[in-house]
Amino acid sequence: MRVEVCVVGGGPGGAAAAITLARAGREVHLVDKATFPRDKTCGDGLTTNALRRLSELGLDPSTVASWFAVDDVLVRSPSGRVVEFPMPRGRGSYAAVARRVDLDAALLDVARAAGVKVHDGHALVGVDGVGRESVTLDVDGLGPVEATYVVAGDGQWSPTAKALGLYPNGYLGEWHAFRQYFSGVGPRAERDLWVWFEPDFLPGYAWSFPLPGARANVGFGIQRGAKVATQDMKDLWPELLRRPHIRDVLGADAAPEAPHRAWPIPARIDTAVLSGAGGRVLFVGDAAGACDPMTGEGIGQALDTGIAAAGAITDAGPGAPAWAAWRYRRDVWTTLRRDHQMSMLLVRALQHRKGARAAVRVAGVTPWTRRNFARWLFEDEPRAILATPRRWHRDFLDRDGARHFASSDRIGVSRR
């Protein structure tokens, strides 16, 4: 099979690239080893940036069964101080939660409607050859797929990178996260998004993200090599759930509805390999190590890299893969790389109790600081916006949220 672009991986990064390329008139085939809908271990949180990107791509939140718009974020410092950070009201959506089993399937439906030929249930087996004008992929059930370009959105363990000899030996990600779904949660967990900075695993944190029907995604993340070893997370989990301040939020009737899951978080966009095969292959999302090193969030970054890769391919055309790789690397480095560096500086401050305590205290000083901290935390503007003037705009620091996703898009839960 001969195609213009083959996208490997049907997650947000791959889907965003496929949709953008198809709308630009390219012939796009997308392959994924899973059959959708499929679950994806994740915190399920959606930042303002992710929501804006999803809106631009044409996702309708009513097609996502577990969609839940968030109005308020509550953060507990290591000292026990709890500060409520409200999102702006009546200006679109600034934060939401949606299970990846629902979100990713809905986004692939958008890709199909854009003209992308989706081949789910077909795994990449290997790369059969790299030529001057194409890359030939071995795809299970499809045979050889010869593509002018390949967009690899195939995750942390990227089979494409491994097949090309580009995967770093022994790489396990910068962070590790652990989550479990709960049902029957109490009113505070049902309504609001919670973040707990626990002193014993800073700069990591624990969370409870609300979902419709009195359910929540509950978990915690740690920095690899920090105070808690990844192999100890399973033993720490039940003790964490018994902590009074967490138990009080979840409520006495909260019960796990599925086994817990753990996953690595790649946050190395500053050192990651972004292209291969002379520019014929571009890596996006987790395959590019694009997660935020401070929060571990990766959906917005996956969408950003997918759209950027599509733009580079479209502008370069079939005969200039080296230029496509250069353009893609430039766009990523002048945006996400700067944000990555800013987040790394903030992580250093959050490694210690005093730093985390001071951050929460300062953010909660006035209604203005509380409101704008919430927007900053959820990437209403890029982390390093002040250091990148090319991203400044007239509504800088006063933008509406995702207008397509109003707070009324909350499903199945009454507003307080």
Side-chain angles (χ1 to χ4, degrees):
M1 181 168 61
R2 181 74 171 86
V3 302
E4 284 189 78
V5 184
C6 183
V7 176
V8 182
I19 293 166
T20 306
L21 284 161
R23 289 177 179 164
R26 299 299 183 269
E27 178 198 11
V28 185
H29 288 247
L30 184 150
V31 301
D32 195 297
K33 67 179 180 180
T35 300
F36 288 74
R38 60 90 179 95
D39 193 18
K40 180 72 172 178
T41 309
C42 181
D44 298 334
L46 297 170
T47 62
T48 313
N49 175 58
L51 293 170
R52 290 194 183 109
R53 290 299 197 184
L54 291 170
S55 180
E56 293 164 4
L57 291 169
L59 180 73
D60 182 351
S62 69
T63 65
V64 183
S66 54
W67 190 273
F68 190 98
V70 172
D71 289 330
D72 296 303
V73 178
L74 288 99
V75 178
R76 185 182 190 270
S77 81
S79 66
R81 175 188 175 91
V82 175
V83 180
E84 181 174 348
F85 298 99
M87 294 293 181
R89 304 302 205 256
R91 300 184 58 186
S93 184
Y94 289 84
V97 183
R99 289 187 60 169
R100 291 287 300 279
V101 66
D102 302 320
L103 178 69
D104 290 9
L107 199 54
L108 273 191
D109 286 342
V110 175
R112 291 186 181 94
V116 178
K117 297 176 177 61
V118 176
H119 307 277
D120 55 344
H122 295 274
L124 175 73
V125 177
V127 176
D128 285 345
V130 176
R132 292 183 60 188
E133 298 183 353
S134 65
V135 175
T136 302
L137 307 176
D138 182 7
V139 180
D140 182 39
L142 296 180
V145 177
E146 185 182 356
T148 304
Y149 284 100
V150 174
V151 177
D154 45 358
Q156 150 82 16
W157 310 113
S158 182
T160 307
K162 290 179 179 178
L164 292 172
L166 298 175
Y167 191 85
N169 291 331
Y171 177 65
L172 298 173
E174 282 67 31
W175 286 73
H176 208 76
F178 193 102
R179 70 101 163 108
Q180 192 166 25
Y181 287 114
F182 280 75
S183 59
V185 299
R188 292 197 289 172
E190 178 184 10
R191 180 183 63 214
D192 299 322
L193 188 152
W194 285 79
V195 173
W196 297 281
F197 284 109
E198 298 296 290
D200 51 334
F201 53 84
L202 292 173
Y205 63 94
W207 71 77
S208 174
F209 291 177
L211 289 163
R215 298 169 64 245
N217 179 319
V218 185
F220 73 111
I222 61 169
Q223 188 178 42
R224 191 174 294 278
K227 300 175 183 178
V228 175
T230 56
Q231 61 266 29
D232 296 332
M233 295 180 78
K234 182 178 179 180
D235 293 333
L236 176 60
W237 183 233
E239 188 274 322
L240 183 65
L241 292 173
R242 288 194 297 268
R243 296 182 183 184
H245 55 281
I246 294 179
R247 189 177 64 245
D248 288 347
V249 169
L250 296 182
D253 296 328
E257 62 178 34
H260 51 69
R261 293 284 186 267
W263 74 102
I265 296 177
R268 60 185 185 105
I269 196 70
D270 56 334
T271 60
V273 175
L274 298 180
S275 65
R280 294 286 177 195
V281 178
L282 303 181
F283 296 96
V284 303
D286 282 9
C291 295
D292 179 24
M294 187 181 78
T295 65
E297 199 274 332
I299 297 175
Q301 288 81 353
L303 296 168
D304 283 338
T305 53
I307 293 169
I313 291 170
T314 300
D315 288 353
W323 193 89
W326 175 85
R327 155 75 188 274
Y328 176 54
R329 185 165 53 250
R330 182 203 67 184
D331 288 352
V332 169
W333 281 27
T334 56
T335 55
L336 292 180
R337 189 179 184 219
R338 295 287 183 88
D339 298 336
H340 175 95
Q341 292 169 338
M342 176 63 71
S343 290
M344 288 299 295
L345 290 174
L346 295 167
V347 166
R348 293 177 188 174
L350 294 173
Q351 286 178 334
H352 308 286
R353 295 188 189 191
K354 289 183 178 179
R357 201 162 53 227
V360 176
R361 183 185 301 115
V362 170
V365 168
T366 69
W368 186 91
T369 59
R370 290 194 292 272
R371 182 173 62 253
N372 285 282
F373 176 81
R375 296 176 62 176
W376 173 83
L377 183 64
F378 277 81
E379 299 175 2
D380 177 32
E381 296 291 349
R383 291 266 188 265
I385 185 74
L386 293 176
T388 50
R390 68 188 296 267
R391 294 188 285 179
W392 294 0
H393 52 86
R394 186 167 61 180
D395 296 325
F396 175 47
L397 297 181
D398 191 32
R399 297 175 69 184
D400 287 344
R403 297 301 301 180
H404 183 59
F405 301 152
S407 58
S408 60
D409 290 322
R410 177 179 295 183
I411 296 173
V413 179
S414 61
R415 297 175 60 82
R416 61 176 169 166

